[in-house]
Amino acid sequence: MPYAAFFDGLPLPAAVTRRSDGRLVDVNQAWLTLTGLQRTDAIGRTTLELGHWPDPADRAAFLSQVPCEHQLLQLMLRPGRMYSVRMHTSLIESTDELLILNVFTDATHEAATDEALRFSEQALAQANRLLQHRLELYAEIEQVARVGYWTNAGSEQHVFWSPGMYAMTGLQPVDLITRREGRGRIHPDDMPAWLAARDAADGSEVEFRWLHPDGRTRWYRSRIGRTVVDGQPMTDFGVVHDITDEREVRLQLAEQLRLLRNIAERVPGLTYQARRNPDGTAQITYVNDRALDMLEFTPEELMADVRKLYSRVHPDDLKATLASVDVSARELTLWSHSYRVVLPRQGLRWHQVNAAPQREPDGSVVWHGYTTDITEERQAQQRAERQQRMLDAVREAQALFIEAEDKRRAFEGLLETFLKVTGSHYGFIGEVLHDGPDRPYLRTHAVTDISWDEASRQHYQAHRESGMVFRNLRTLFGHAMTTREPVISNHPAHDPRRGGLPPGHPPMESFLGVPLMVGEQMVAMVGLANQDGGYEEDDIQFLAPLLGAVRQLVLAHRALVARRETEAALQAERQRLAWILEATRPGIWEADLGVGSLQVDARWAEIVGYTLEELQPINLSTWERLTHPDDLAEALRLSNLHIEGQLPYYECDIRMRHKQGHWVWINTRGRVHRRTEDGTVMYMSGTHIDITDRVTAQEEVRALNASLEQRVRERTAQLERSMRDMEAISYSIAHDLRAPLRSVNGFVTLIQETEGERLSPEGADMFARVVRSSANMGRMITDMLELLRVVQVDMAPVPVDMVALTRSVVEALTPEDGPWHVQVGHMPAALGDATLLRQVLSNLVDNAIKYSQHLPGPKVTVGFDIPQEAYFVRDNGMGFDMARAGKLFGLFQRLHPGSEVPGMGVGLAIVARIIERHGGRVWAESAPGQGAVFWFRLPLA
């Protein structure tokens, strides 16, 4: 194999240095091209001398790591120009000392690698042809140079040597040399082989060493034969060739071959020779040991069966790869192609092949090539492309947000980029808002349309602009919002954090949810679903630019919404101020206290009956001249107090002379709005409001108040007389009416007892009616006195325990063995007169018992209803028609006249008067046969 050509034509820059002192032993053409040096300028010098290392310490650190692979270094390979290179370094054992093979790639110009490799392969082929020519020339020269011969001299003891023999052997030329002298300096170890060849004389070669008189040992090659010439005796002859230099060259070539083999085995790529025969079959005739790492086959396996190489090529790339080989073979063009391989241990990798074809005489095509693993470069390129797409999307989203009226388009563009760069099928971008502490919810700004039926399509369209709201936190994205940590779920169906999917929802095979924080505040969230192969932590780091853009847009959106709300509020405030100014029509003034100038508007002048032109020139003296003398001093005093900081503002009611001569009342109000650095007042501004009508109205009110006070005194005296009259009526009812009534009752009772048996049935019935009527009249008098007492009594409100009060009332109204069941619930204390409230409860509970006693299980409940904020008394009695409820609390009004239920229709009237005196309200709810509820509100304690 032409290993020297391989080294010199290697497309990657390579150099061999001595380990001991770092001096360059050999460099290839690519290295010279990269550095711009001539071989003579480089060989024998160190890379420090050439200025490749900016700092000697860097080289020392690098040597401490030898051997190493793909180490990234910064070298100054040309004056003033730094290169980023990846260095692959191997140790090579030479016969004399330890060497270092350095192979590196220019990471700064990786894009030019293909072109450089093509030229390198062409140079390699040319160098191979040149070396072959030189070897042939060298062989030809070796055949004609340093050659001698000998023949028999006709004497058994002597032979004839040509001049070349003497020149080679270092012996003094003589006409004939004895056989003993001619053989005397052959190395003893080689003598047996030479004698055997001498005896055979069959033209076979024999190599032997010659002990030169100058002390050196030379190597010779000889062919000994025998010739027969007609008429002459048989003659032995020998041709001797000094092959000492050849032997040394052969040894050097063997050493170089071993060196080049070591280089080929250690370069960071696959070097090989491949052949396609005329019949279409192919074979790999050489491949270095890198095959075991790059293809996970041994070189022997690949050279035995080329199909093993094809088995590693990705199925989707195999057809295109074979087609590129066909084009290279047909057109004899550089085979440059990238493809994927699938390895059992390393998985998917990217390879780049560059090989120069050469057609052989038999029609075969031979490629000398070099294959590199470009997985990292492809991945870096893909990452760079994806990063660039993300940055472009961020810029576009920011521009859209700034320029477009519809801010939703910016978020939708970002979501589309999220889906493209990750390969996700659907997702959302949402803003995180809060209903309260620890109660976050999500409102979307962009969401993929994954509607699966008409209802979901309508829901999507209805909420596309306003955003969908999600408050269910028992979901994967809900878990991200509550924990504030990213959620990665590559098996959502079995994830305990899942919330389930509605029927018909597209399947979710993987999910990534990333909450976005600003300090301690969570402001947004991004959710993605169904990326092929699932999600991992690196995806979050990779998406950082897009996530940052979402965070910025959400904050900008919040600021925009806040600004719009502020502008709307400001506009509303301006409108309100305009309405106020339009409604109040104030006059506006501003005074420059430094120079005494005054600026007023047209309304200010209109209030005092002037136009602005009529008042010119206007200054503070104008105001003082128009102000009533009695009011001017007070106005100036208040103004000075405000200027000194003793009052927050200046305000005063003053009189000003109208153009027509009368006085108008003005409310003047103002404050300082600019001072100098030392606190001196510069400007003061304010308003004038015409309050003449208000002052006039106030005067009228004062006059009315004076007359009202007189009327109140008169009305109070009338009420006092009425109260005295009522007291007299009460006394008369209690004494004057009851005395005759008692006499009637007494005489009727006496007649029934003494004359009852002699009365006819009709007479007995009439006497019974007289007794009942007399009793009813007695009860009516009692109820009227009670009603008068309620109206007249002086109240003393105190906190009243309504539960205890109710229980005492129930105990007084219901015997222990009675059929009634009265339930007393929890009730808050009321603020009122305990005696009067006892009367309320007594009347209401008594009514409830009377109107439910006809039932087998009468039930009464007293309690308090929180929603109604009212006390109640409920029974299951006969009830009443709500159409007649308006008469319920009237005096002597009964809704069940003629029934067996006793009563005069005064009890509820008393209840109403007591509740009214407490500032409360009483009402009822009922239906015939369904019982009744009486409600009343009282001030709570």
Side-chain angles (χ1 to χ4, degrees), residues 250-320:
R250 282 162 58 190
L251 291 174
Q252 291 177 1
L253 287 176
E255 178 63 24
Q256 290 181 4
L257 179 63
R258 189 177 70 85
L259 177 62
L260 291 174
R261 185 181 295 275
N262 287 335
I263 292 174
E265 297 299 334
R266 288 169 171 78
V267 293
L270 200 69
T271 57
Y272 60 90
Q273 184 182 69
R275 174 183 295 273
R276 174 182 281 187
N277 299 316
D279 60 1
T281 60
Q283 63 189 98
I284 298 175
T285 54
Y286 169 77
V287 62
N288 66 351
D289 288 340
R290 292 286 291 177
L292 188 60
D293 177 56
M294 294 180 63
L295 293 172
E296 297 185 8
F297 280 127
T298 64
E300 292 74 20
E301 290 174 323
L302 291 173
M303 288 187 287
D305 186 0
V306 72
R307 290 175 299 181
K308 292 186 177 297
L309 171 62
Y310 301 150
S311 70
R312 292 291 194 247
V313 179
H314 194 286
D316 295 343
D317 296 347
L318 181 59
K319 183 177 180 181

Coordinates of all heavy atoms in Angstrom, one line a residue, residues 250-320:
R250 N 15.6 0.0 1.6 CA 14.6 -1.0 1.9 C 14.2 -1.0 3.4 O 13.1 -1.1 3.8 CB 15.0 -2.4 1.5 CG 14.9 -2.6 0.0 CD 15.7 -3.8 -0.5 NE 15.3 -5.0 0.2 CZ 16.0 -6.2 0.1 NH1 17.1 -6.2 -0.7 NH2 15.6 -7.2 0.7
L251 N 15.3 -0.9 4.3 CA 15.1 -0.8 5.7 C 14.3 0.4 6.1 O 13.4 0.4 6.9 CB 16.4 -0.9 6.4 CG 17.1 -2.3 6.4 CD1 18.5 -2.2 7.1 CD2 16.3 -3.3 7.1
Q252 N 14.7 1.5 5.4 CA 14.0 2.8 5.7 C 12.5 2.7 5.2 O 11.6 3.2 5.9 CB 14.7 4.0 5.0 CG 16.0 4.3 5.6 CD 16.8 5.4 4.9 OE1 16.2 5.9 3.9 NE2 18.0 5.7 5.3
L253 N 12.3 2.1 4.1 CA 11.0 2.0 3.5 C 10.1 1.1 4.5 O 9.0 1.4 4.7 CB 11.0 1.4 2.1 CG 11.5 2.3 1.0 CD1 11.5 1.6 -0.3 CD2 10.5 3.5 0.9
A254 N 10.7 0.1 5.0 CA 10.0 -0.8 5.9 C 9.6 0.0 7.2 O 8.5 -0.2 7.7 CB 10.8 -2.0 6.3
E255 N 10.5 0.8 7.6 CA 10.2 1.6 8.8 C 9.2 2.7 8.5 O 8.2 2.9 9.3 CB 11.5 2.3 9.3 CG 11.3 3.2 10.5 CD 10.8 2.5 11.7 OE1 11.1 1.3 11.8 OE2 10.2 3.1 12.6
Q256 N 9.3 3.3 7.3 CA 8.3 4.2 6.9 C 6.9 3.6 6.7 O 5.9 4.1 7.0 CB 8.7 5.0 5.6 CG 9.9 5.9 5.8 CD 10.2 6.6 4.5 OE1 9.6 6.5 3.5 NE2 11.3 7.4 4.6
L257 N 7.0 2.3 6.2 CA 5.7 1.6 6.0 C 5.0 1.4 7.3 O 3.8 1.5 7.5 CB 6.0 0.3 5.3 CG 4.8 -0.6 5.0 CD1 3.8 0.1 4.1 CD2 5.2 -1.9 4.4
R258 N 5.8 1.0 8.3 CA 5.3 0.7 9.6 C 4.8 2.1 10.2 O 3.7 2.1 10.8 CB 6.4 0.2 10.5 CG 5.8 -0.3 11.9 CD 7.0 -0.9 12.7 NE 7.9 0.1 13.1 CZ 7.7 0.8 14.2 NH1 6.7 0.7 15.0 NH2 8.6 1.8 14.6
L259 N 5.5 3.2 10.0 CA 5.1 4.4 10.5 C 3.8 4.9 9.8 O 2.8 5.3 10.5 CB 6.2 5.5 10.2 CG 5.9 6.9 10.6 CD1 5.6 7.1 12.1 CD2 7.0 7.9 10.1
L260 N 3.7 4.7 8.5 CA 2.5 5.1 7.8 C 1.3 4.2 8.2 O 0.1 4.7 8.3 CB 2.7 5.1 6.3 CG 3.6 6.1 5.7 CD1 3.9 5.9 4.3 CD2 3.0 7.5 6.0
R261 N 1.6 3.0 8.5 CA 0.5 2.1 8.9 C 0.0 2.6 10.3 O -1.2 2.6 10.5 CB 1.0 0.6 9.0 CG -0.1 -0.3 9.3 CD 0.5 -1.7 9.5 NE 1.0 -2.2 8.2 CZ 0.2 -2.8 7.3 NH1 -1.1 -3.0 7.5 NH2 0.7 -3.2 6.1
N262 N 0.9 3.0 11.1 CA 0.5 3.5 12.4 C -0.3 4.8 12.3 O -1.3 5.0 12.9 CB 1.7 3.8 13.3 CG 2.3 2.5 13.9 OD1 1.7 1.5 14.0 ND2 3.6 2.6 14.2
I263 N 0.1 5.6 11.3 CA -0.6 6.9 11.0 C -2.0 6.5 10.5 O -3.0 7.1 11.0 CB 0.1 7.7 10.0 CG1 1.4 8.3 10.6 CG2 -0.7 8.9 9.5 CD1 2.3 9.0 9.6
A264 N -2.1 5.6 9.6 CA -3.4 5.2 9.0 C -4.3 4.7 10.1 O -5.5 4.8 10.0 CB -3.2 4.2 7.9
E265 N -3.7 4.0 11.0 CA -4.6 3.4 12.1 C -5.0 4.4 13.1 O -6.0 4.2 13.9 CB -3.8 2.3 12.8 CG -3.4 1.1 11.9 CD -4.7 0.4 11.3 OE1 -5.7 0.5 11.9 OE2 -4.6 -0.2 10.2
R266 N -4.4 5.6 13.2 CA -4.6 6.5 14.2 C -5.3 7.8 13.8 O -5.6 8.7 14.6 CB -3.3 6.8 15.0 CG -2.9 5.7 15.8 CD -1.5 5.9 16.3 NE -1.1 4.9 17.3 CZ -0.7 3.7 17.0 NH1 -0.6 3.3 15.8 NH2 -0.3 2.8 18.0
V267 N -5.5 8.0 12.5 CA -6.1 9.2 12.0 C -7.6 9.2 12.5 O -8.2 8.1 12.6 CB -6.0 9.4 10.5 CG1 -4.6 9.6 10.1 CG2 -6.6 8.2 9.8
P268 N -8.2 10.3 12.7 CA -9.6 10.3 13.3 C -10.6 10.1 12.1 O -11.5 10.9 11.9 CB -9.7 11.7 13.9 CG -8.8 12.6 13.1 CD -7.6 11.7 12.7
G269 N -10.5 9.1 11.4 CA -11.4 8.8 10.4 C -11.1 7.4 9.8 O -10.2 6.7 10.2
L270 N -11.9 7.0 8.8 CA -11.8 5.7 8.2 C -11.1 5.9 6.9 O -11.6 6.6 5.9 CB -13.2 5.2 7.9 CG -13.4 3.7 7.7 CD1 -13.1 2.9 9.0 CD2 -14.8 3.4 7.3
T271 N -9.9 5.3 6.7 CA -9.2 5.3 5.4 C -9.3 3.9 4.8 O -9.3 2.9 5.5 CB -7.7 5.6 5.6 OG1 -7.1 4.7 6.5 CG2 -7.5 7.1 6.2
Y272 N -9.5 3.9 3.5 CA -9.8 2.6 2.9 C -9.5 2.6 1.4 O -9.3 3.7 0.8 CB -11.3 2.2 3.1 CG -12.2 3.3 2.5 CD1 -12.6 3.1 1.2 CD2 -12.6 4.4 3.2 CE1 -13.5 4.1 0.6 CE2 -13.5 5.3 2.6 CZ -13.9 5.2 1.3 OH -14.7 6.1 0.8
Q273 N -9.5 1.5 0.8 CA -9.4 1.3 -0.6 C -10.5 0.3 -1.0 O -10.6 -0.8 -0.4 CB -8.0 0.7 -1.0 CG -7.8 0.6 -2.5 CD -6.5 0.0 -2.9 OE1 -6.3 -1.1 -2.7 NE2 -5.6 0.9 -3.4
A274 N -11.3 0.7 -2.0 CA -12.4 -0.1 -2.4 C -12.3 -0.3 -3.9 O -11.8 0.6 -4.6 CB -13.7 0.5 -2.0
R275 N -12.9 -1.4 -4.4 CA -12.8 -1.8 -5.8 C -14.2 -2.2 -6.3 O -14.9 -3.0 -5.6 CB -11.8 -2.9 -6.0 CG -11.7 -3.4 -7.4 CD -10.7 -4.5 -7.6 NE -9.4 -4.1 -7.3 CZ -8.6 -3.6 -8.2 NH1 -8.9 -3.5 -9.4 NH2 -7.4 -3.2 -7.9
R276 N -14.5 -1.8 -7.5 CA -15.7 -2.3 -8.1 C -15.2 -3.0 -9.4 O -14.6 -2.3 -10.3 CB -16.7 -1.2 -8.5 CG -17.9 -1.8 -9.3 CD -18.9 -0.7 -9.7 NE -19.8 -0.4 -8.6 CZ -20.8 0.4 -8.7 NH1 -21.1 1.0 -9.9 NH2 -21.6 0.7 -7.7
N277 N -15.4 -4.3 -9.5 CA -15.0 -5.0 -10.7 C -15.9 -4.8 -11.9 O -17.0 -4.3 -11.8 CB -15.0 -6.5 -10.3 CG -14.0 -6.8 -9.1 OD1 -12.9 -6.3 -9.1 ND2 -14.5 -7.6 -8.2
P278 N -15.3 -5.2 -13.1 CA -16.2 -5.0 -14.3 C -17.5 -5.7 -14.2 O -18.5 -5.3 -14.9 CB -15.3 -5.5 -15.4 CG -13.9 -5.4 -14.9 CD -14.0 -5.6 -13.4
D279 N -17.6 -6.8 -13.5 CA -18.8 -7.6 -13.4 C -19.8 -7.0 -12.4 O -20.9 -7.5 -12.2 CB -18.6 -9.0 -13.1 CG -17.9 -9.2 -11.7 OD1 -17.6 -8.2 -11.1 OD2 -17.6 -10.3 -11.4
G280 N -19.5 -5.8 -11.8 CA -20.3 -5.2 -10.9 C -20.1 -5.6 -9.4 O -20.7 -4.9 -8.5
T281 N -19.4 -6.6 -9.2 CA -19.1 -7.0 -7.8 C -18.2 -6.0 -7.1 O -17.4 -5.3 -7.8 CB -18.6 -8.4 -7.7 OG1 -17.3 -8.4 -8.4 CG2 -19.5 -9.4 -8.3
A282 N -18.2 -5.8 -5.8 CA -17.4 -4.9 -5.1 C -16.7 -5.5 -4.0 O -17.2 -6.6 -3.4 CB -18.3 -3.7 -4.6
Q283 N -15.6 -4.9 -3.5 CA -14.9 -5.4 -2.4 C -14.1 -4.3 -1.8 O -13.8 -3.3 -2.4 CB -14.0 -6.6 -2.8 CG -12.9 -6.2 -3.8 CD -12.1 -7.4 -4.3 OE1 -12.4 -7.9 -5.4 NE2 -11.2 -7.8 -3.5
I284 N -13.8 -4.4 -0.5 CA -13.0 -3.5 0.2 C -11.6 -4.2 0.4 O -11.5 -5.2 1.0 CB -13.5 -3.1 1.6 CG1 -14.9 -2.4 1.4 CG2 -12.6 -2.2 2.4 CD1 -15.6 -2.2 2.7
T285 N -10.6 -3.6 -0.2 CA -9.3 -4.2 -0.2 C -8.4 -3.7 0.9 O -7.4 -4.4 1.2 CB -8.6 -3.9 -1.6 OG1 -8.5 -2.5 -1.8 CG2 -9.3 -4.6 -2.7
Y286 N -8.8 -2.6 1.5 CA -8.0 -2.1 2.7 C -9.0 -1.2 3.5 O -9.7 -0.4 2.9 CB -6.8 -1.4 2.3 CG -6.1 -0.7 3.5 CD1 -5.4 -1.4 4.5 CD2 -6.3 0.7 3.7 CE1 -4.9 -0.8 5.6 CE2 -5.8 1.3 4.8 CZ -5.1 0.6 5.8 OH -4.6 1.2 6.9
V287 N -8.9 -1.3 4.8 CA -9.6 -0.4 5.7 C -8.8 -0.4 7.0 O -8.3 -1.4 7.5 CB -11.1 -0.8 5.9 CG1 -11.2 -2.2 6.5 CG2 -11.8 0.2 6.7
N288 N -8.7 0.7 7.6 CA -8.0 0.8 8.9 C -8.8 0.4 10.1 O -10.0 0.1 10.0 CB -7.4 2.2 9.1 CG -8.5 3.3 9.3 OD1 -9.6 3.0 9.1 ND2 -8.0 4.5 9.6
D289 N -8.2 0.4 11.3 CA -8.9 -0.2 12.5 C -10.0 0.7 13.0 O -10.8 0.3 13.8 CB -7.8 -0.4 13.6 CG -6.9 -1.5 13.3 OD1 -7.3 -2.4 12.5 OD2 -5.8 -1.6 13.9
R290 N -10.1 2.0 12.4 CA -11.2 2.8 12.8 C -12.6 2.2 12.5 O -13.6 2.6 12.9 CB -11.1 4.2 12.2 CG -9.9 5.0 12.8 CD -10.2 5.5 14.2 NE -11.2 6.5 14.2 CZ -11.7 7.1 15.3 NH1 -11.3 6.7 16.4 NH2 -12.7 8.0 15.2
A291 N -12.6 1.2 11.6 CA -13.8 0.5 11.2 C -14.5 -0.1 12.4 O -15.7 -0.1 12.5 CB -13.5 -0.5 10.2
L292 N -13.7 -0.5 13.4 CA -14.3 -1.1 14.6 C -15.1 -0.1 15.4 O -16.2 -0.5 16.0 CB -13.2 -1.8 15.4 CG -13.7 -2.6 16.6 CD1 -14.5 -3.8 16.1 CD2 -12.5 -3.1 17.4
D293 N -14.7 1.1 15.4 CA -15.4 2.2 16.1 C -16.5 2.8 15.3 O -17.6 3.0 15.8 CB -14.4 3.2 16.6 CG -15.1 4.4 17.3 OD1 -15.8 4.1 18.3 OD2 -15.0 5.5 16.9
M294 N -16.2 3.1 14.0 CA -17.2 3.8 13.2 C -18.3 2.9 12.6 O -19.4 3.4 12.3 CB -16.5 4.6 12.1 CG -15.6 5.7 12.6 SD -14.7 6.6 11.3 CE -16.1 7.3 10.4
L295 N -18.0 1.6 12.4 CA -19.0 0.7 11.8 C -19.3 -0.5 12.7 O -20.2 -1.3 12.4 CB -18.5 0.2 10.4 CG -18.4 1.3 9.3 CD1 -17.8 0.8 8.1 CD2 -19.8 1.9 9.0
E296 N -18.5 -0.6 13.8 CA -18.7 -1.7 14.7 C -18.5 -3.1 14.0 O -19.2 -4.1 14.3 CB -20.0 -1.6 15.4 CG -20.1 -0.4 16.3 CD -21.3 -0.3 17.2 OE1 -22.1 -1.3 17.2 OE2 -21.6 0.7 17.8
F297 N -17.6 -3.1 13.0 CA -17.1 -4.3 12.3 C -15.6 -4.2 12.3 O -15.0 -3.1 12.3 CB -17.6 -4.4 10.8 CG -19.0 -4.8 10.7 CD1 -19.9 -4.1 9.9 CD2 -19.4 -6.1 11.2 CE1 -21.2 -4.5 9.8 CE2 -20.7 -6.5 11.1 CZ -21.6 -5.7 10.3
T298 N -14.9 -5.4 12.4 CA -13.5 -5.4 12.3 C -13.1 -5.2 10.8 O -13.9 -5.5 9.9 CB -12.9 -6.8 12.7 OG1 -13.4 -7.8 11.9 CG2 -13.4 -7.1 14.2
P299 N -11.9 -4.7 10.5 CA -11.4 -4.6 9.1 C -11.5 -5.9 8.4 O -11.9 -5.9 7.2 CB -10.0 -4.1 9.3 CG -9.9 -3.4 10.6 CD -10.9 -4.2 11.5
E300 N -11.2 -7.0 9.0 CA -11.3 -8.3 8.3 C -12.7 -8.6 7.9 O -12.9 -9.2 6.8 CB -10.7 -9.4 9.3 CG -9.2 -9.3 9.6 CD -8.9 -8.1 10.5 OE1 -9.8 -7.7 11.2 OE2 -7.7 -7.7 10.5
E301 N -13.7 -8.3 8.8 CA -15.1 -8.6 8.4 C -15.5 -7.8 7.2 O -16.2 -8.3 6.3 CB -16.0 -8.3 9.6 CG -15.8 -9.3 10.7 CD -16.6 -8.9 12.0 OE1 -16.7 -7.7 12.2 OE2 -17.2 -9.8 12.6
L302 N -15.1 -6.5 7.1 CA -15.5 -5.7 6.0 C -14.8 -6.1 4.7 O -15.4 -6.1 3.6 CB -15.2 -4.2 6.3 CG -16.0 -3.6 7.4 CD1 -15.5 -2.2 7.7 CD2 -17.5 -3.5 6.9
M303 N -13.5 -6.5 4.8 CA -12.8 -6.9 3.6 C -13.3 -8.2 3.1 O -13.2 -8.6 1.9 CB -11.3 -6.9 3.9 CG -10.7 -5.5 4.0 SD -8.9 -5.5 4.2 CE -8.7 -6.1 5.8
A304 N -13.8 -9.0 4.0 CA -14.4 -10.4 3.6 C -15.7 -10.2 3.0 O -16.1 -11.0 2.1 CB -14.4 -11.3 4.8
D305 N -16.5 -9.2 3.3 CA -17.9 -9.1 2.8 C -18.3 -7.7 2.8 O -18.6 -7.1 3.9 CB -18.9 -10.0 3.6 CG -20.3 -10.0 3.0 OD1 -20.5 -9.4 1.9 OD2 -21.1 -10.7 3.6
V306 N -18.4 -7.0 1.6 CA -18.7 -5.6 1.5 C -20.2 -5.4 1.9 O -20.5 -4.3 2.3 CB -18.4 -5.1 0.1 CG1 -19.4 -5.7 -0.9 CG2 -18.4 -3.6 0.1
R307 N -21.0 -6.4 1.9 CA -22.4 -6.2 2.2 C -22.6 -5.8 3.7 O -23.6 -5.3 4.1 CB -23.2 -7.5 1.9 CG -23.3 -7.8 0.4 CD -24.0 -9.1 0.2 NE -23.2 -10.2 0.7 CZ -23.5 -11.5 0.6 NH1 -24.7 -11.9 0.0 NH2 -22.7 -12.4 1.2
K308 N -21.6 -6.2 4.5 CA -21.7 -5.7 5.9 C -21.7 -4.2 6.0 O -22.4 -3.6 6.9 CB -20.5 -6.3 6.7 CG -20.6 -7.8 6.9 CD -19.5 -8.3 7.8 CE -19.7 -9.8 8.0 NZ -20.9 -10.2 8.7
L309 N -21.0 -3.5 5.1 CA -21.0 -2.1 5.1 C -22.4 -1.6 4.8 O -23.0 -0.7 5.4 CB -20.0 -1.5 4.1 CG -20.1 0.0 3.8 CD1 -19.8 0.8 5.1 CD2 -19.1 0.4 2.7
Y310 N -23.0 -2.2 3.7 CA -24.3 -1.8 3.3 C -25.4 -2.0 4.4 O -26.3 -1.3 4.6 CB -24.8 -2.5 2.1 CG -23.9 -2.3 0.9 CD1 -23.7 -3.3 -0.1 CD2 -23.1 -1.2 0.7 CE1 -22.9 -3.2 -1.2 CE2 -22.3 -1.0 -0.4 CZ -22.2 -2.0 -1.3 OH -21.3 -1.8 -2.4
S311 N -25.2 -3.1 5.2 CA -26.1 -3.4 6.3 C -26.1 -2.3 7.4 O -27.1 -2.2 8.1 CB -25.8 -4.7 6.9 OG -24.6 -4.6 7.7
R312 N -25.1 -1.5 7.5 CA -25.0 -0.4 8.5 C -25.7 0.9 8.0 O -26.1 1.7 8.8 CB -23.6 -0.2 8.9 CG -22.9 -1.3 9.6 CD -23.5 -1.4 11.0 NE -22.7 -2.2 11.9 CZ -23.1 -3.4 12.4 NH1 -24.3 -3.9 12.0 NH2 -22.3 -4.1 13.2
V313 N -25.8 1.0 6.7 CA -26.4 2.3 6.1 C -27.9 2.3 6.4 O -28.6 1.3 6.3 CB -26.2 2.4 4.6 CG1 -26.8 3.6 4.0 CG2 -24.7 2.3 4.3
H314 N -28.4 3.5 6.8 CA -29.8 3.6 7.2 C -30.6 3.3 5.9 O -30.3 3.7 4.8 CB -30.1 5.1 7.5 CG -31.4 5.3 8.2 ND1 -32.6 5.3 7.5 CD2 -31.7 5.6 9.5 CE1 -33.6 5.5 8.3 NE2 -33.1 5.7 9.5
P315 N -31.7 2.5 6.1 CA -32.5 2.0 5.0 C -33.0 3.2 4.1 O -33.1 3.1 2.9 CB -33.7 1.3 5.6 CG -33.2 0.9 7.0 CD -32.2 1.9 7.4
D316 N -33.3 4.3 4.7 CA -33.8 5.5 3.9 C -32.7 6.1 3.1 O -33.0 6.9 2.2 CB -34.5 6.5 4.9 CG -35.7 6.0 5.5 OD1 -36.2 4.9 5.1 OD2 -36.1 6.5 6.6
D317 N -31.4 5.9 3.5 CA -30.3 6.5 2.8 C -29.6 5.6 1.8 O -28.7 6.0 1.0 CB -29.3 7.1 3.8 CG -29.9 8.2 4.6 OD1 -31.0 8.7 4.3 OD2 -29.3 8.5 5.7
L318 N -29.9 4.2 1.9 CA -29.1 3.3 1.1 C -29.2 3.5 -0.4 O -28.2 3.5 -1.1 CB -29.6 1.9 1.5 CG -28.8 0.7 0.8 CD1 -27.3 0.8 1.1 CD2 -29.4 -0.6 1.2
K319 N -30.4 3.7 -0.9 CA -30.6 3.9 -2.3 C -29.9 5.1 -2.9 O -29.2 5.0 -3.9 CB -32.1 4.1 -2.6 CG -32.5 4.2 -4.1 CD -34.0 4.3 -4.3 CE -34.3 4.4 -5.8 NZ -35.8 4.5 -6.0
A320 N -29.9 6.2 -2.2 CA -29.2 7.4 -2.6 C -27.7 7.2 -2.5 O -27.0 7.7 -3.4 CB -29.7 8.6 -1.8

